[in-house]
Amino acid sequence: MLNELSEFLEVDYDKKKLIDKALHPTYCLRSPRFYKDALMEKCEYRIPHTKFCPKCNRKYPEKENFCMDCLVSLKHVSERKPIRDIEANPVFAFKGKNSFEDFKSILTEDNLVRINEFKFTMKDYEKIIKNIKKTSLKNMDEMIKENYVDLNDISTLGNVLLFAKSFVKVDYKSYGQVLGYFENDKIVIDDRQNSSLQITTMIHELAHFLLKEIMNGVLCRLLKCSKNRHIDVISTYILSYDNFTRLIDEYSAHCCEGRFTMYGYQDYSSFLSIVKQMDGEMTPEEIEMTKSIGNNFANTIKDILEIFIDRDLLDDIKDVFEHHNVEKPNYEMLKLENCNRLTDEGYLKAIWLIVTTGFKAAMDNIEKLEEYYKGE
Ligand SMILES: [Zn+2]
Ligand SMILES: [Zn+2]
């Protein structure tokens, strides 16, 4: 008797939509006919989705072969690579008419004069930033397409990892004490940390990469040359040879970390350990100035990272963070925050100071640069 009623059945699509939405937040509805067939055959609400459309990313059950909207063959989920396994090889280029083949031809008196004259405006600076943004977007787009990444279906850590890979290679380690480091355009992250710490570490190291890339842009602009490994080594040297530039670099990285996780939780240890070992070499005012300059760089870097980290992702990152960090924010560390920054004019002067003093130091240390160069 009850069975006889089956011929009067039809699917309540509105209800189905609600239930599916709760079960699979990214589920897309297909034609009524599809559901009717699927329900009759399986007699259940949940249909396992083992295939997806490589174009619109809609999910499909195993027995389907094509996406009738996009008119393409479906892919199997096993073809989706985990973000961690995606090979990234991002290339950031700056072009100029000169191309220098070795350190000796870059580090000349003539070039020092060019650097010192500093024909460089905020417009030039903005061009550099735009170039970096464009390249990273292109890199990310390629990765998504080549690996069928479904942005709606990856974890917060996966999301951050994916955008980090639009800039640099990311490797993992499970040894040693440091949480992560950045070297030769590669970020290495310790995967024994919880995901919130991996996210913070990744953003911190990414900030180091971006500051170096900004330096590359400035040098290429001033010397009207294309970027190559020699220029890259000089930029790395400029940011690390002296405590003044190391402090700027570290402070900027700490600030970016705080912006994208939660202020009060970031770890200032690298900055503090440089200050500690300085032994009065810089006055407290000078140290504060490195923080202000660091703020200027951090603002630019945040601006670049915000292409990828929108409000939603930012909220997700904060959720992950709160979940893992039940302690109170570190108010002592918050006292280290400096909220000043330089005007455009002052900022250009700071960049001038960094590159001229750094370039001069590099001229006197070509052997050291050769060592860096070979160290790849
Ligand atoms: Zn499709
Ligand atoms: Zn650092």
Side-chain angles (χ1 to χ4, degrees):
M1 180 70 185
L2 283 171
N3 284 340
E4 281 165 30
L5 294 174
S6 64
E7 62 181 293
F8 303 104
L9 280 178
E10 65 170 13
V11 181
D12 177 349
Y13 295 109
D14 288 333
K15 186 175 179 189
K16 172 115 183 70
K17 203 170 167 183
L18 288 173
I19 290 172
D20 278 332
K21 232 183 182 167
L23 288 172
H24 313 279
T26 58
Y27 199 92
C28 292
L29 276 181
R30 293 205 34 184
S31 69
R33 165 103 203 139
F34 167 80
Y35 282 115
K36 205 165 184 182
D37 290 348
L39 282 172
M40 285 309 184
E41 195 180 279
K42 303 249 176 185
C43 282
E44 61 179 24
Y45 275 100
R46 255 186 111 134
I47 307 151
H49 294 101
T50 47
K51 287 186 176 169
F52 66 95
C53 168
K55 265 193 149 169
C56 69
N57 252 325
R58 189 179 297 165
K59 292 164 186 164
Y60 287 91
E62 185 69 30
K63 67 165 192 165
E64 293 293 308
N65 295 308
F66 305 103
C67 176
M68 286 315 206
D69 288 338
C70 308
L71 304 176
V72 290
S73 305
L74 299 178
K75 298 265 173 200
H76 199 263
V77 278
S78 58
E79 287 179 76
R80 268 200 224 277
K81 248 192 198 165
I83 307 292
R84 194 177 154 140
D85 297 342
I86 293 178
E87 292 264 353
N89 207 356
V91 180
F92 287 81
F94 291 103
K95 298 256 180 273
K97 60 176 165 53
N98 297 326
S99 108
F100 300 111
E101 295 308 317
D102 53 26
F103 289 120
K104 283 209 171 76
S105 58
I106 304 173
L107 298 162
T108 60
E109 290 294 336
D110 282 352
N111 279 341
L112 178 62
V113 170
R114 269 183 208 114
I115 301 257
N116 199 23
E117 276 175 356
F118 202 67
K119 288 187 182 145
F120 190 86
T121 62
M122 278 316 275
K123 264 219 163 83
D124 296 316
Y125 185 77
E126 280 149 22
K127 256 191 215 158
I128 292 170
I129 306 310
K130 203 171 163 194
N131 182 347
I132 295 175
K133 283 183 179 176
K134 254 188 168 168
T135 312
S136 63
L137 274 178
K138 218 182 94 224
N139 292 340
M140 185 157 180
D141 193 47
E142 273 167 22
M143 267 193 300
I144 292 175
K145 284 181 182 148
E146 277 169 23
N147 300 286
Y148 310 116
V149 176
D150 181 0
L151 288 175
N152 296 312
D153 207 25
I154 51 178
S155 66
T156 309
L157 176 62
N159 242 306
V160 177
L161 180 57
L162 183 73
F163 89 74
K165 286 187 175 191
S166 331
F167 294 97
V168 285
K169 288 185 190 168
V170 181
D171 256 3
Y172 285 92
K173 69 178 184 77
S174 312
Y175 56 87
Q177 303 229 320
V178 285
L179 303 177
Y181 57 88
F182 164 64
E183 207 176 65
N184 292 329
D185 281 358
K186 191 166 84 183
I187 288 177
V188 180
I189 301 282
D190 198 309
D191 60 5
R192 292 167 300 176
Q193 316 171 75
N194 66 39
S195 44
S196 68
L197 282 176
Q198 288 189 43
I199 289 171
T200 332
T201 312
M202 213 139 28
I203 290 170
H204 180 104
E205 302 308 331
L206 207 47
H208 282 312
F209 163 77
L210 285 167
L211 184 46
K212 186 211 64 178
E213 220 38 51
I214 293 170
M215 273 305 133
N216 278 333
V218 174
L219 284 180
C220 289
R221 174 77 207 164
L222 291 172
L223 302 176
K224 296 189 168 49
C225 68
S226 296
K227 183 187 131 186
N228 59 17
R229 171 110 177 105
H230 289 93
I231 293 284
D232 199 72
V233 166
I234 295 174
S235 294
T236 305
Y237 181 78
I238 288 177
L239 291 172
S240 60
Y241 81 104
D242 193 274
N243 285 330
F244 127 77
T245 52
R246 288 172 68 205
L247 285 178
I248 293 173
D249 194 13
E250 277 313 330
Y251 193 76
S252 139
H254 289 308
C255 282
C256 291
E257 220 182 287
R259 169 68 182 78
F260 292 109
T261 54
M262 285 167 108
Y263 268 114
Y265 287 100
Q266 79 264 51
D267 163 35
Y268 281 94
S269 52
S270 330
F271 183 86
L272 291 176
S273 77
I274 301 171
V275 173
K276 214 170 179 182
Q277 74 190 33
M278 281 205 310
D279 202 19
E281 169 193 321
M282 281 168 82
T283 64
E285 292 75 26
E286 284 171 328
I287 294 174
E288 280 310 301
M289 182 49 81
T290 64
K291 291 185 186 174
S292 305
I293 301 172
N295 279 333
N296 280 71
F297 281 116
N299 280 338
T300 301
I301 294 167
K302 281 182 233 165
D303 178 51
I304 297 172
L305 297 184
E306 271 165 2
I307 319 175
F308 301 105
I309 307 185
D310 58 10
R311 264 255 68 90
D312 288 349
L313 184 54
L314 195 57
D315 287 342
D316 289 347
I317 293 175
K318 288 189 174 166
D319 281 348
V320 174
F321 217 76
E322 277 171 330
H323 178 75
H324 285 119
N325 295 271
V326 277
E327 317 139 48
K328 291 226 154 58
N330 188 332
Y331 295 107
E332 273 310 301
M333 287 290 182
L334 270 176
K335 283 187 201 150
L336 288 166
E337 281 298 341
N338 161 310
C339 297
N340 299 324
R341 58 165 203 187
L342 297 165
T343 61
D344 283 357
E345 198 187 349
Y347 189 28
L348 288 175
K349 283 195 195 308
I351 299 175
W352 166 81
L353 181 68
I354 294 168
V355 289
T356 13
T357 52
F359 197 84
K360 254 186 237 158
M363 288 171 79
D364 297 335
N365 286 287
I366 293 189
E367 276 163 42
K368 185 115 206 183
L369 297 173
E370 297 285 3
E371 268 172 45
Y372 273 141
Y373 189 86
K374 283 184 214 131
E376 194 185 41

